[in-house]
Amino acid sequence: MTWPGLSAAPLAAFGELRRLQRARLALHRCSLLCGRHFGPALLLAAAGNFVGIVSLSYGLVMVRVSRQSSPSMAWLSIWLLFVLGNLLLTCWACSSAANRATRVAVLFSKIQTLLRPGDASDTSRLEMDPLHFSAAGFFDVNLPLFVSTVSAAVAYMVVFLQFSELQRTSYNSKM
């Protein structure tokens, strides 16, 4: 790329620039369609993963407290890791797409200064909202969702542990 007005130097590879613009628009269109058609599914998946994480954590605590066999603890741990991995993969994919769209927007803003009005710069001037994947409009599916879900599950686990300790001490004091 060179500055407009320099003779004998090409301004930009317009074919590649148009291809990048089409890819940017397709990514935003895909995000909107995913939000419309798969938003409820993303909502149910995130809620199901949260309930699964809390339930499995509680199961692990109860198995540990009751000192049952280790195979049940191993299966619960594997299942918990699977649910955590499922949620992490979903959140990472959505965050990765949003980050790439942000990088393309920054690239277009840098290219915009080099392009003369008209030519290939018309579609790069389109105002677009930041890319995000929504779970039926309730929340965005991204990496902070994973962190907050795990944080909430840990908070519930701490409450379960404290409650089980309270029950055990009150039961022992009655006897």
Side-chain angles (χ1 to χ4, degrees):
M1 297 207 132
T2 62
W3 288 99
L6 291 178
S7 60
L11 179 63
F14 288 113
E16 292 297 317
L17 188 59
R18 286 193 176 124
R19 190 172 67 102
L20 186 60
Q21 290 168 346
R22 283 194 301 268
R24 177 182 177 215
L25 293 172
L27 187 60
H28 279 273
R29 187 172 50 247
C30 177
S31 168
L32 287 173
L33 289 174
C34 284
R36 285 187 190 143
H37 298 291
F38 300 114
L42 282 173
L43 176 66
L44 291 174
N49 284 331
F50 177 72
V51 169
I53 290 168
V54 171
S55 301
L56 290 170
S57 299
Y58 181 70
L60 281 171
V61 169
M62 290 296 113
V63 167
R64 180 73 176 159
V65 167
S66 67
R67 292 178 173 73
Q68 288 182 358
S69 66
S70 64
S72 60
M73 184 171 241
W75 283 111
L76 284 173
S77 299
I78 290 170
W79 194 6
L80 179 62
L81 287 175
F82 176 75
V83 171
L84 283 169
N86 184 14
L87 182 62
L88 178 63
L89 185 63
T90 303
C91 292
W92 175 79
C94 293
S95 286
S96 176
N99 288 340
R100 287 179 189 261
T102 302
R103 284 195 312 219
V104 168
V106 168
L107 178 65
F108 270 129
S109 69
K110 290 179 181 177
I111 290 174
Q112 193 67 36
T113 60
L114 300 174
L115 293 176
R116 60 180 166 236
D119 294 340
S121 66
D122 293 337
T123 55
S124 66
R125 292 183 185 182
L126 293 174
E127 289 294 322
M128 291 187 199
D129 293 332
L131 182 74
H132 64 279
F133 291 89
S134 175
F138 287 102
F139 51 83
D140 290 340
V141 179
N142 50 19
L143 285 176
L145 172 69
F146 176 75
V147 172
S148 63
T149 302
V150 171
S151 300
V154 168
Y156 277 120
M157 201 161 148
V158 167
V159 170
F160 290 148
L161 283 171
Q162 290 175 345
F163 186 69
S164 66
E165 285 295 320
L166 181 66
Q167 275 188 333
R168 192 174 20 210
T169 56
S170 70
Y171 178 75
N172 289 339
S173 66
K174 288 182 181 178
M175 294 199 142

